[in-house]
Amino acid sequence: MNSATVRNLLVRGMLAGLAAGVLALVVAYFLGEPNVDSAIGLEEAHTHTHGDAGADAGGGHDEEEAVSRSLQSTAGLATGILVYGVAFGGIAALAFCFALGRIGRFGPRATALLLSGCALLAVYVVPYLKYPVNPPAVGDPDTIGKRTTLYFLMMVLSVLLAIAATLLGKRLAPALGTWYATVAAVAAFAVAVGLAYAFLPVINEVPDDFPATLLWRFRLSALAIQTVLWGGLGLFLGELAERLLNPKAVPSEPGGAVPAAR
């Protein structure tokens, strides 16, 4: 591709990410935020219960929120998701430019959807299964640095292993055929991820009295948001790339007269 095509695809990828971000924002607001509010309510009730004795003895004090909860759940949520969508839309567009025609005989739509599915798996699902997200009331503040480092380490490993599995599949394809090469590459990826799961430390800071149903709903809503975001990105990017790379012939005006040959 020439630089102009890459630039156009980059812009379209960012627009696709913005559109996918809007869809994910709707899911996050209506599906995710109620669970966050419930978790915050549990945390506040727990804090008040265990803080009454200290407040009675030493004269407790109230701390004002730096950012109100209403602002966090509206403008803050929208900003975070939309910026996330635009950023990953641009990255996905660059990956699309490299992958188109190199990972099989797929058109722009199929390539974009395949890339978004692989990105969802490598960037989110694999790290999520090892270190799932927790509600606000779960987790020790003293270990947040360790938990964040381990999560991003698992994410980087997952992406690198996915790239290695893709390269392995391409190397094996001439000898084994596309089907068996793909099966071998997927199996190698699964084994490598399993080894990473086994060697990386386990973190479980969920209190015994935390409602299991709320924890399940929270984690399921987080997975749903990411699925909608990456799925929408693949669909929108594929459609925009198809229109750019394979433009349809402009139809003649209905009822227009065909010029006579002279």
Side-chain angles (χ1 to χ4, degrees):
M1 294 184 186
N2 56 43
S3 59
T5 303
V6 173
R7 183 173 61 251
N8 289 333
L9 284 172
L10 178 61
V11 172
R12 283 163 172 76
M14 296 173 71
L15 291 175
L18 180 62
V22 172
L23 295 180
L25 176 61
V26 174
V27 176
Y29 185 78
F30 289 104
L31 187 61
E33 285 302 305
N35 298 319
V36 175
D37 289 335
S38 299
I40 291 175
L42 286 175
E43 184 180 30
E44 291 177 347
H46 183 270
T47 301
H48 291 161
T49 300
H50 291 271
D52 286 342
D56 293 339
H61 60 278
D62 294 332
E63 296 183 358
E64 295 184 358
E65 289 182 320
V67 180
S68 66
R69 174 62 189 144
S70 61
L71 186 61
Q72 293 175 10
S73 62
T74 53
L77 179 67
T79 301
I81 291 182
L82 294 181
V83 170
Y84 181 91
V86 171
F88 275 94
I91 296 173
L94 296 178
F96 173 86
C97 293
F98 177 80
L100 185 63
R102 291 186 173 92
I103 58 175
R105 297 180 180 180
F106 300 109
R109 291 192 183 100
T111 300
L113 199 57
L114 181 61
L115 276 179
S116 66
C118 293
L120 172 65
L121 177 67
V123 175
Y124 189 77
V125 174
V126 170
Y128 170 89
L129 293 177
K130 176 63 177 178
Y131 300 114
V133 293
N134 289 324
V138 175
D140 184 359
D142 295 334
T143 63
I144 187 171
K146 176 183 177 181
R147 287 184 280 124
T148 303
T149 301
L150 288 173
Y151 181 86
F152 279 102
L153 175 60
M154 189 67 242
M155 181 189 298
V156 172
L157 284 175
S158 176
V159 172
L160 293 178
L161 290 174
I163 294 174
T166 302
L167 296 177
L168 176 64
K170 290 183 67 65
R171 291 287 296 269
L172 295 177
L176 301 180
T178 302
W179 171 255
Y180 290 107
T182 302
V183 172
V186 171
F189 176 77
V191 170
V193 168
L195 291 175
Y197 281 5
F199 285 103
L200 287 176
V202 176
I203 295 179
N204 183 15
E205 298 179 348
V206 180
D208 294 335
D209 59 347
F210 192 86
T213 302
L214 177 58
L215 181 64
W216 169 253
R217 290 204 309 264
F218 180 86
R219 290 178 173 176
L220 191 62
S221 64
L223 182 60
I225 293 168
Q226 293 291 330
T227 302
V228 170
L229 178 65
W230 287 100
L233 176 59
L235 291 173
F236 289 130
L237 176 59
E239 183 62 29
L240 293 175
E242 183 77 29
R243 291 173 178 268
L244 175 67
L245 300 176
N246 297 321
K248 297 178 180 180
V250 179
S252 59
E253 296 182 2
V258 178
R262 293 183 180 180

